[in-house]
Amino acid sequence: MQNISIASLSTEEALATSAYLKELPRVFPAMVVAVQCLFGRCCLASAFDLNLDVLAAEAQEFGSQILTHPESDQLGLDPLLLIEIRWILQRGGKNLTVLQELLRRIASTLAAQPTETRQVGRVRNMAAKLAFGGFPIRAAEKSREMSRLVDSPDRWFGCSVAQLAEIAYHLTADGEPLDETSTRILSLLALAELRNYRVDLGCLLLRAVFELGEPCMESSEAVHFIALQRRCDGRYGFPNQFGSGTAPEGDPQLSVFLPLTVNVAWLFRILAEHRQRRQSAMTA
């Protein structure tokens, strides 16, 4: 294993970011905002071994609201975040029946989708996570075209933004370890996307790197770039980062800071889990 230094957060920085995410739903009282903020806080709590009691109580409340909502499918919630919240809390010893029922419904809905939908990378990723959690669902096989693309790292450099996201989701859905070449290519692509300030895609590619491969100098540089997006109040991101004068659509708190902050918290959680696996392997 290479001894590469990867940027991280201090506990104080994690707490500041968690406090920012806790406050945001009070300013923007929408369920979709609250669930994103809860997920980000769960990621930080998992990465820094913080108390999960308050987060579990909030998840219990949100889960009950979603289950009893007459039009829950109109709330605009991301099922993947709900799946991840349940996984984090369960891993921390918080087994919530309401989340179990919510994910059972999600699994049932996904299983009923047409083949073309179930072959989409993000849907396959969700199905794989649900199956790992014990729900009666299987991830669909990739399409032939996507299977060839995923298996050809040399073609990744010519991929569109949408294709790169698909590749990352398919890789994590399959769960196969990445070799050195694939890891480095994904890291280089993440750097390129970050320099174009597509932080969401950069974080997605890096999550695949740290879930399935061993970091390289390029992935270290990419994480350092992301760490530099931190602001003093704990949020991440800078509007008008290229000085174009173009204002972001909607309130920047929701269009810029919230999605970037949640993606960063998610990445640092995956990085913490990678470090834990690496330490366990070294002491085994």
Side-chain angles (χ1 to χ4, degrees):
M1 294 182 182
Q2 300 182 65
N3 185 21
I4 295 175
S5 176
I6 308 292
S8 186
L9 306 179
S10 67
T11 301
E12 292 74 19
E13 289 172 333
L15 288 170
T17 298
S18 185
Y20 165 74
L21 291 171
K22 184 175 182 179
E23 181 63 24
L24 203 59
R26 297 174 184 172
V27 182
F28 302 95
M31 177 69 76
V32 65
V33 174
V35 170
Q36 289 180 72
C37 289
L38 175 62
F39 168 65
R41 291 162 60 206
C42 283
C43 286
L44 294 167
S46 175
F48 292 89
D49 198 24
L50 305 177
N51 192 297
L52 290 172
D53 290 344
V54 172
L55 299 175
E58 291 182 26
Q60 175 76 28
E61 180 181 352
F62 290 146
S64 297
Q65 291 177 18
I66 295 168
L67 286 176
T68 58
H69 196 282
E71 297 181 319
S72 58
D73 58 340
Q74 302 300 313
L75 293 173
L77 303 179
D78 185 346
L80 181 55
L81 299 192
L82 298 172
I83 294 168
E84 292 280 353
I85 288 171
R86 187 257 186 178
W87 160 246
I88 293 170
L89 293 177
Q90 185 180 50
R91 191 176 181 218
K94 308 295 181 182
N95 295 300
L96 304 183
T97 303
V98 67
L99 291 186
Q100 184 82 4
E101 173 59 21
L102 185 58
L103 265 60
R104 186 194 66 77
R105 292 190 185 184
I106 292 173
S108 178
T109 299
L110 289 183
Q113 298 303 307
T115 300
E116 293 77 9
T117 300
R118 291 186 291 111
Q119 288 180 322
V120 172
R122 207 168 195 272
V123 177
R124 290 190 70 241
N125 184 266
M126 287 189 284
K129 290 179 182 294
L130 287 166
F132 183 78
F135 294 91
I137 187 173
R138 290 180 57 191
E141 295 295 326
K142 297 187 290 292
S143 67
R144 290 184 180 179
E145 179 182 355
M146 184 53 65
S147 184
R148 286 194 295 268
L149 183 58
V150 170
D151 293 339
S152 305
D154 57 302
R155 296 174 57 195
W156 297 352
F157 288 108
C159 287
S160 66
V161 167
Q163 287 174 319
L164 288 177
E166 276 287 286
I167 289 168
Y169 280 124
H170 282 300
L171 288 170
T172 51
D174 293 337
E176 297 294 331
L178 292 175
D179 60 23
E180 184 177 350
T181 299
S182 297
T183 299
R184 192 170 186 195
I185 290 174
L186 280 182
S187 299
L188 284 167
L189 289 168
L191 264 178
E193 296 305 325
L194 289 170
R195 287 165 178 164
N196 288 325
Y197 219 71
R198 286 192 278 264
V199 180
D200 54 348
L201 179 55
C203 285
L204 173 59
L205 297 173
L206 288 172
R207 291 202 306 268
V209 166
F210 290 110
E211 281 190 51
L212 305 171
E214 283 298 323
C216 55
M217 291 303 299
E218 289 80 7
S219 52
S220 174
E221 185 179 344
V223 174
H224 183 68
F225 178 96
I226 290 170
L228 290 175
Q229 305 312 302
R230 180 178 180 80
R231 299 168 72 107
C232 60
D233 63 357
R235 59 185 161 155
Y236 285 80
F238 295 90
N240 307 326
Q241 63 280 357
F242 297 118
S244 64
T246 302
E249 295 183 8
D251 193 301
Q253 292 287 358
L254 302 183
S255 62
V256 178
F257 302 124
L258 175 58
L260 263 65
T261 302
V262 169
N263 268 291
V264 172
W266 195 350
L267 174 62
F268 277 110
R269 175 198 133 209
I270 298 300
L271 179 54
E273 292 175 357
H274 169 82
R275 286 178 171 136
Q276 292 170 1
R277 290 194 301 272
R278 193 170 188 180
Q279 289 173 356
S280 298
M282 293 175 65
T283 57

